[in-house]
Amino acid sequence: MNLMDIVNGVSSSGALQDAASQAGVDPSQAQTLLQGVLEHVNNGGSLDEAADAVAAKVGVDPALVQQFLPQVAGLLQGHAANAPDEAQGLIGGLLGAL
């Protein structure tokens, strides 16, 4: 399982778009934001830099990314509970960084 599998799994239920709406983020950008955050953290980037890096890449205000992060963490936790063992380690590492 790779990052795109995780993004697609979290996105499949519509919960990601709902979380984006709650954070004030355009739901159509939710998947791109999540992917950007996961890639940034997975590539060794710090969480402190994630909001600015992802915001610049996607073209949104970094404050929106910051509001989105707590919503994403909850979704990833829920997804990890039902994910295969190989994905649980990856998601656990990402959550630790978040």
Side-chain angles (χ1 to χ4, degrees):
M1 179 168 274
N2 61 32
L3 290 178
M4 276 310 298
D5 293 335
I6 294 169
V7 171
N8 290 334
V10 171
S11 300
S12 66
S13 71
L16 181 62
Q17 289 74 22
D18 291 343
S21 291
Q22 292 175 8
V25 173
D26 182 346
S28 69
Q29 294 178 314
Q31 190 166 349
T32 304
L33 286 174
L34 175 59
Q35 182 178 346
V37 168
L38 294 178
E39 287 175 353
H40 181 82
V41 171
N42 192 53
N43 291 330
S46 74
L47 186 57
D48 293 336
E49 300 166 344
D52 290 333
V54 173
K57 183 177 179 180
V58 177
V60 299
D61 187 325
L64 287 177
V65 179
Q66 287 288 358
Q67 292 171 329
F68 186 60
L69 290 174
Q71 304 289 340
V72 168
L75 292 175
L76 288 173
Q77 285 176 327
H79 185 69
N82 299 316
D85 289 343
E86 66 187 59
Q88 288 182 4
L90 178 58
I91 295 170
L94 293 168
L95 286 170
L98 291 175

